Amino acid sequence: MNRLYQSRNEIYGELYRGLLGLRRLFLLAILCGPLLSGCRSLASGESADILLTGGKVYTFTWDDPAPDGAPAKNAPYSPAGWRPDAEAIAVRGSQIVFVGSSRDAEKYRGPGTRVIDLHGATVIPGLVDSHTHVVGLGEKQSRVDLTGVQTEEEAVARVVAFAANIPKGEWVVGRGWDEGAWANRYPTMKLLSERMPDNPVLLVGLHSFAVWGNKLAFERAKITRGAQSPAGGTIVKDRNGEPMGILRDRATTLLTSAVPPPTDDQLKAYVLAGLNVMARDGYVAVHEAGADSRLMRAFESLAAEGKLPVRVYAMLSARDADLCRSWLAKGPKLDTADKLTVRSVKAFYDGALGSRGALLLADYSDKPGHRGVTGEGAGFDQKLVADMMKGGFQVAIHAIGDAGNRATLDFIEGVNGGKENPRSKTRDRIEHAQVIHPDDFQRFEKLGIIASMQPPHCAEDKAWAEDRLGPERVKGAYAWRALRRNGARLIFNSDLVGSDHDIFYGLHAAITRRDKRLQPPNGWYPEQRVRPEEAIRAYSTWAAYAAFWEKESGVIAVGRWADISVMDIDPLNVGESDPARLLQGKIRMTMVAGQIVRNFESP
Ligand SMILES: [Zn+2]
């Protein structure tokens, strides 16, 4: 609903209440004249900075779809399909000043107006990746990329090729081998040490829950025969007690902490590189899931210099207690002029399902007697997080297993005010919400908790998720429809760099529950699919709510931020009729706060 419509309703409301005196009625007549004859005359004479015409614009100003995914009555939808509800958008400064037909938009054309003919490209509200780790994305360019490697030999070969120009003695760092898929056949340090004898090598798993290193790396980190596994982590050892080359869960830091950290300037460069990739790929904002003091300094410095290409909604890392306490003292940063918002805290409750670190209520189906990482490995500083919530900060808690999710729901309910007053005022989130016990689905709505979920994880984890969970529990895994049916708010994201952030991959996974090779053909537990409109909203409109931006952003309407994503396919119609085609979709343009951060490319 746009502002004009709202204000008109408010005016009528007052009229009906009969509260108006004559003088106010006179004022109202002056106000209503131009309103009723079309607001555009109010703004005529003021030309736009940018005029987008000839597009298929979906404003998303209609109501939310029903819990089963059926479009709202006022949605531009019929059994024949979706129809765009505008063609043109005028932008002045950082805001949208007009949405409508290309013909009416001509009023906004002036001598200084930059006019872009969209040639029928589709425009939707700005895409948001609401769970990212952008440093990793920027860093990727200076690291060995192991995503997609199938075997140990292939991974080692990539490392050797990459390291050809790296001086002896310097660290070689890589990322992306799949510790979930490889959990039953972990690689060892043998081959890696033979082929890489002169450089310490650290290879981080796709989801950061396991690392793999060579002999020199283990020596540098002083992880020897006598080293003890820390609480909540494992140094994988052979029969003779020698470390084999793999560290899991909390033990991973034994090796990662041995690598010299990037300098402040390097870190800033990584952040900027990562955000530029997101702008290029159609995103107008990221929610950064866990920023420590150093990363916050990088964000704040880029924001102060006016260099953030996309909006950053930073979640403070609860593991950095000093950082959290300092923000608690000064309060959230809500001002968005510099594109940086700080009003959220990220905490971890459990580990990952692939590496069997997620906390389950009953034993892992493929590892009797094991229910995930317990003891000191689970949980977070509850006092600190509760204080942050009371201080007005949203909390976003990583919870994967059904036990982890239940404990997290209990915790948030307790802080909110217990059974009598369970509802969250800070729009708290559970990150992943990956395996939910049937009794707990309805608690998300009851507590006002947002389920922040990753369609790519479903597409990628399906290979082993059922092994871990068995045929019954798996029905509550990645259960988007069950959450929607139970009234939960849902947002979608990539959790990059663990998964590909490509929006078309995300939409396809959400709509079909298939992987990039279109497997399985009918989708994995297809009853949990969402419809295209829900998937797009979970990446835009609903993500805006999660950041408290629903009045400024999330839909294309007058007075909203000019945050827009343009693509070469119509994801609503293609998603309904031929979702496989989504995978060929391309981003054409990205606009953030009225600035074009990816130039329009003609189809
Ligand atoms: Zn994450």
Side-chain angles (χ1 to χ4, degrees), residues 307-324:
K307 284 190 184 156
L308 292 175
V310 301
R311 297 178 196 279
V312 174
Y313 180 84
M315 305 179 199
L316 304 165
S317 170
R319 285 173 176 168
D320 192 334
D322 291 343
L323 174 74
C324 289

Side-chain angles (χ1 to χ4, degrees), residues 414-588:
V415 178
N416 289 345
K419 294 258 181 286
E420 284 75 54
N421 194 13
R423 226 175 152 70
S424 163
K425 285 172 206 68
T426 41
R427 302 189 185 177
D428 300 314
R429 313 165 38 156
I430 294 185
E431 300 303 310
H432 311 302
Q434 211 167 78
V435 187
I436 311 284
H437 187 276
D439 294 348
D440 291 330
F441 280 109
Q442 38 83 31
R443 298 181 69 196
F444 283 77
E445 192 276 331
K446 212 177 194 171
L447 272 60
I449 290 175
I450 298 164
S452 168
M453 303 178 76
Q454 300 74 33
H457 284 180
C458 170
E460 290 153 19
D461 298 357
K462 62 177 167 37
W464 42 258
E466 190 158 348
D467 296 344
R468 304 283 184 280
L469 298 169
E472 229 7 80
R473 273 187 303 199
V474 75
K475 292 176 189 160
Y478 319 86
W480 311 319
R481 177 59 65 208
L483 281 156
R484 285 273 293 138
R485 276 194 204 284
N486 281 278
R489 287 182 182 270
L490 192 61
I491 56 175
F492 282 158
N493 44 63
S494 69
D495 195 10
L496 67 83
V497 286
S499 290
D500 183 353
H501 62 271
D502 180 89
I503 186 61
F504 301 104
Y505 171 44
L507 292 175
H508 177 262
I511 295 163
T512 65
R513 290 175 76 96
R514 295 189 304 213
D515 60 25
K516 286 180 180 172
R517 287 166 300 143
L518 312 181
Q519 296 303 315
N522 295 320
W524 187 70
Y525 293 93
E527 60 277 12
Q528 297 295 341
R529 286 179 304 209
V530 295
R531 288 181 64 174
E533 183 196 2
E534 295 171 292
I536 295 167
R537 282 189 186 272
Y539 280 107
S540 58
T541 319
W542 296 341
Y545 175 87
F548 299 79
W549 292 340
E550 74 275 13
K551 292 207 172 72
E552 291 87 9
S553 181
V555 300
I556 296 177
V558 173
R560 302 286 178 130
W561 291 339
D563 286 10
I564 289 163
S565 304
V566 181
M567 50 189 64
D568 68 345
I569 55 168
D570 174 338
L572 285 167
N573 282 313
V574 171
E576 292 281 356
S577 61
D578 185 11
R581 260 181 61 214
L582 285 171
L583 293 171
Q584 273 94 58
K586 297 264 181 307
I587 292 293
R588 290 281 183 222

Side-chain angles (χ1 to χ4, degrees), residues 145-317:
D145 181 9
L146 297 179
T147 42
V149 293
Q150 298 296 321
T151 64
E152 179 174 348
E153 292 71 26
E154 196 186 339
V156 173
R158 271 202 213 177
V159 174
V160 171
F162 181 89
N165 299 318
I166 295 180
K168 278 186 184 181
E170 271 187 28
W171 280 85
V172 175
V173 179
R175 172 184 268 281
W177 62 280
D178 192 336
E179 71 269 50
W182 292 17
N184 296 324
R185 49 176 177 101
Y186 278 135
T188 68
M189 67 165 72
K190 189 170 178 293
L191 181 65
L192 189 60
S193 305
E194 281 167 15
R195 304 286 311 277
M196 292 292 299
D198 302 320
N199 298 79
V201 180
L202 164 70
L203 304 174
V204 180
L206 192 59
H207 309 286
S208 304
F209 286 96
V211 298
W212 169 23
N214 68 349
K215 188 161 172 284
L216 204 50
F218 273 63
E219 279 171 18
R220 290 263 182 108
K222 300 190 173 62
I223 307 166
T224 56
R225 197 186 155 80
Q228 297 286 323
S229 293
T234 309
I235 302 172
V236 179
K237 293 183 176 175
D238 66 15
R239 232 174 274 135
N240 304 318
E242 292 290 341
M244 293 178 73
I246 294 288
L247 308 172
R248 288 195 346 232
D249 300 307
R250 290 234 163 162
T252 55
T253 54
L254 297 176
L255 201 53
T256 54
S257 61
V259 182
T263 63
D264 283 355
D265 283 346
Q266 265 171 337
L267 190 71
K268 239 171 100 175
Y270 291 155
V271 169
L272 192 57
L275 295 176
N276 280 328
V277 170
M278 296 309 281
R280 181 197 73 195
D281 293 346
Y283 291 94
V284 302
V286 299
H287 297 187
E288 179 70 7
D292 62 9
S293 305
R294 290 196 71 210
L295 181 51
M296 282 309 300
R297 275 206 302 279
F299 283 142
E300 288 176 290
S301 152
L302 287 166
E305 293 164 24
K307 284 190 184 156
L308 292 175
V310 301
R311 297 178 196 279
V312 174
Y313 180 84
M315 305 179 199
L316 304 165
S317 170

